[in-house]
Amino acid sequence: MPARLPSLYFRIRDTGASVFRIDTEHRHQRLEMEHLANINMAKGDYRTQGERTATPEEDAAIRDWIATRRQTLDMRARDDVMRLIDALNLTTQWAHGRATDADLDLVTDPLLMAMHDLRATLVRKMADRLDPGED
């Protein structure tokens, strides 16, 4: 017995997702996808397309998807930072042992600027956390 399809399909985009309503009740058992809404992850909301409206169940499903997607993106961002720490350690080892003078000439200035920017941001954020009354 085939699995039941979900009533909504979420197509990921750079800024969020497009939401499609799935309709399997057509002749010839075709799968129809009606563009229902666009999700804006930066704002955490969605807008329906044209004259379409979301049912209360669809609204709840879209809001659940937004919350789940935000958790996924947050988890990936933390994982990216942990990978960056690994990359910095490997870069240090590379610069210490294998990099040529030409290699170092190519990467030193951009790497130092990125590291300075990161350090300044981390120090400022740490100071804000230690003394939240100073805004």
Side-chain angles (χ1 to χ4, degrees), residues 38-61:
N38 287 320
I39 295 173
N40 181 331
M41 286 302 295
K43 294 180 181 178
D45 67 0
Y46 72 93
R47 294 196 186 277
T48 56
Q49 291 298 144
E51 301 296 317
R52 296 178 180 93
T53 58
T55 66
E57 294 82 14
E58 290 171 335
D59 178 70

Side-chain angles (χ1 to χ4, degrees), residues 102-127:
D103 292 334
L104 293 172
D105 286 343
L106 184 66
V107 301
T108 297
D109 286 341
L111 187 56
L112 286 174
M113 289 301 297
M115 290 169 45
H116 173 75
D117 185 28
L118 176 60
R119 183 185 182 282
T121 299
L122 291 174
V123 168
R124 185 174 54 251
K125 295 296 242 174
M126 181 182 281

Side-chain angles (χ1 to χ4, degrees), residues 23-117:
D23 184 4
T24 58
E25 301 301 319
H26 281 27
R27 303 184 331 178
H28 309 295
Q29 296 188 2
R30 280 191 225 159
L31 184 67
E32 296 290 331
M33 294 173 47
E34 175 187 1
H35 191 188
L36 175 63
N38 287 320
I39 295 173
N40 181 331
M41 286 302 295
K43 294 180 181 178
D45 67 0
Y46 72 93
R47 294 196 186 277
T48 56
Q49 291 298 144
E51 301 296 317
R52 296 178 180 93
T53 58
T55 66
E57 294 82 14
E58 290 171 335
D59 178 70
I62 292 169
R63 293 190 186 285
D64 286 347
W65 186 91
I66 291 170
T68 301
R69 181 69 177 165
R70 181 154 290 154
Q71 289 174 344
T72 300
L73 294 174
D74 289 347
M75 181 183 65
R76 287 181 183 168
R78 287 188 297 273
D79 185 57
D80 287 347
V81 172
M82 297 308 292
R83 289 175 190 262
L84 174 61
I85 293 167
D86 289 348
L88 286 170
N89 282 299
L90 293 170
T91 302
T92 301
Q93 190 62 32
W94 169 81
H96 180 72
R98 293 191 324 264
T100 66
D101 288 345
D103 292 334
L104 293 172
D105 286 343
L106 184 66
V107 301
T108 297
D109 286 341
L111 187 56
L112 286 174
M113 289 301 297
M115 290 169 45
H116 173 75
D117 185 28

